[in-house]
Amino acid sequence: GATLEGITRVVSHPVALGQCRTFFESRIPQATLVGAWDTAGSAADVARDGDPTVAAVAAKESAVAHGLTVLAERIEDDPTNQTRFLVIAPVGGAVIP
């Protein structure tokens, strides 16, 4: 039952929130942005809490995995944004495939 007009709070990693600021300002200016540890965890929290006034910025796969409805796609300010993940370990440390 969630709608963009009814969203009052959006949770996600602070970098993800910052990369979508134009969307928030133009489409859901009433929403408070709340930083969280990660995007996937934010989706899980939103699903667990079940409050239709709270949304998360996360990958579509996270929404599907947690039974959430996608309210908007491609909301980033710069469509060339890319997230990169690195594994950093001490020399001689184990490498996880």
Side-chain angles (χ1 to χ4, degrees), residues 28-56:
I28 51 173
Q30 74 280 5
T32 300
L33 307 181
V34 179
W37 182 253
D38 65 10
T39 59
S42 297
D45 291 346
V46 167
R48 183 193 65 242
D49 295 344
D51 182 345
T53 68
V54 180

Side-chain angles (χ1 to χ4, degrees), residues 70-96:
V70 176
L71 297 178
E73 295 186 62
R74 307 299 306 178
I75 65 172
E76 68 276 353
D77 293 347
D78 179 356
T80 63
N81 280 343
Q82 295 182 15
T83 301
R84 293 174 179 86
F85 296 93
L86 302 174
V87 175
I88 301 173
V91 174
V95 176
I96 303 169

Side-chain angles (χ1 to χ4, degrees), residues 8-17 21 24 31-38 42 54-57:
T8 60
R9 190 163 53 106
V10 179
V11 296
S12 193
H13 189 278
V15 172
L17 294 173
R21 193 148 314 266
F24 299 137
T32 300
L33 307 181
V34 179
W37 182 253
D38 65 10
S42 297
V54 180
V57 173

